[in-house]
Amino acid sequence: MALSGSALIGCEKPSGSDAEEHAVVESGTYEGTIKKVNADEKEIYVDANGQELELYFIDETTLTKGGQPAEFGVLEQGQKVEVEIKKVGKRLDPISVTILE
Amino acid sequence: MGALPDMWRVELWHPLVVHLPIGVLIFGVLAWLAGAMTNPGGPRGFLRPAARLALSVGTAGAWLAVYTGDLADAEVVRTLCDPTVVERHENLAWICAITFTVATVLEFVRGVTGLSRGLRLALRVVIALGLCLGIALLGYVGHLGAKLVYQQGAAVYHPSEMCTEFE
């Protein structure tokens, strides 16, 4: 009961970033750091100025590194990225992801 | 003409399994509360073991629902207009499953012989609070699941305008 009580007051599902409720931001371009990469679901979590963005790659998402197209597998935790996001309802679709370093 | 989607696709395993624990846990809580107000040696003495069985089966089913929900999430999240609902649904479902797990384990601990009367009474109060919390969470989590299906069409196939795939 204490465990579930503590979960209710903030210590949530202990499986990483996917346990948190993520920020919903307006369409635009954001810079941030990758907190987690989920290769199975082609999904990244980006910390952009304290807001954690959960981004599921879609068919239209482009990924570039050094000006060249890159595969999803090059993404790593801690990388600085610039993401162009389109807000659809409250869903954030990444249009482009650029690895900055 | 498109083909109808398979009814065994992975995102449909969750609705297949989720309704059993909802029903069984509600029954388990009601049986436990009724059992707590009756004499265990009397004609309604079956309520306590029935509650234990229902809470055990329901809790196992709740974890299976959490697991299949994770699988469904991976399939449908890109189609949702408001994924924050599915996040809240997942997080609270997980807390709900923990709550019922702890309450059920404590209920079995309460049955162990040799516990003092005071400890038994304290356990009974904690279990009652846990079950009430669990049932409230269960209702809200179910409500969020219904919002996902009936407001956002999560995992729901939308037939073509002329329904030609049914011909």
Side-chain angles (χ1 to χ4, degrees):
Chain A
M1 217 62 65
L3 183 57
S4 54
S6 66
L8 278 175
I9 57 173
C11 309
E12 295 182 343
K13 190 177 174 183
S15 58
S17 297
D18 46 344
E20 300 166 16
E21 291 194 14
H22 298 95
V24 179
V25 297
E26 295 302 318
S27 297
T29 303
Y30 298 83
E31 276 190 28
T33 306
I34 296 179
K35 282 184 71 179
K36 184 183 172 188
V37 178
N38 183 349
D40 291 341
E41 297 185 23
K42 287 195 79 174
E43 172 193 20
I44 60 173
Y45 299 86
V46 176
D47 182 355
N49 292 325
Q51 291 185 303
E52 188 170 292
L53 310 177
E54 183 178 23
L55 303 172
Y56 286 88
F57 277 42
I58 57 176
D59 292 343
E60 294 76 26
T61 306
T62 61
L63 176 61
T64 54
K65 182 178 184 181
Q68 300 294 317
E71 295 294 321
F72 187 88
V74 304
L75 291 168
E76 292 174 0
Q77 184 179 345
Q79 283 175 327
K80 298 262 190 250
V81 289
E82 180 184 88
V83 292
E84 182 188 355
I85 291 169
K86 182 181 174 188
K87 184 183 170 200
V88 181
K90 286 188 177 175
R91 188 180 75 228
L92 303 179
D93 287 344
I95 304 303
S96 66
V97 177
T98 305
I99 300 170
L100 300 176
E101 62 180 41
Chain B
M1 181 167 57
L4 278 170
D6 185 14
M7 281 301 290
W8 291 105
R9 56 192 196 275
V10 70
E11 63 268 32
L12 298 190
W13 296 353
H14 184 59
L16 181 69
V17 303
V18 77
H19 298 96
L20 177 75
I22 291 173
V24 173
L25 285 171
I26 291 170
F27 170 78
V29 172
L30 292 176
W32 189 91
L33 291 171
M37 292 182 277
T38 57
N39 178 3
R44 294 187 182 83
F46 65 90
L47 284 168
R48 194 166 153 186
R52 283 183 179 171
L53 178 62
L55 290 172
S56 302
V57 171
T59 300
W63 284 112
L64 188 59
V66 167
Y67 173 70
T68 55
D70 276 346
L71 297 178
D73 172 39
E75 296 297 319
V76 306
V77 71
R78 287 174 177 80
T79 69
L80 300 176
C81 293
D82 185 359
T84 61
V85 178
V86 82
E87 287 185 60
R88 198 171 310 127
H89 178 62
E90 281 185 292
N91 289 336
L92 292 178
W94 194 81
I95 294 169
C96 181
I98 288 179
T99 304
F100 276 113
T101 301
V102 173
T104 303
V105 168
L106 291 181
E107 170 58 20
F108 279 98
V109 169
R110 194 169 73 97
V112 173
T113 53
L115 296 182
S116 69
R117 184 181 169 86
L119 184 54
R120 277 183 202 277
L121 183 62
L123 280 174
R124 182 183 272 204
V125 171
V126 171
I127 293 164
L129 290 173
L131 293 179
C132 290
L133 172 65
I135 212 78
L137 283 168
L138 189 66
Y140 185 56
V141 168
H143 168 71
L144 292 175
K147 283 182 77 171
L148 287 168
V149 175
Y150 298 112
Q151 289 185 336
Q152 302 195 53
V156 174
Y157 171 68
H158 300 282
S160 64
E161 192 177 355
M162 298 303 292
C163 301
T164 51
E165 63 272 46
F166 290 89
E167 292 175 355

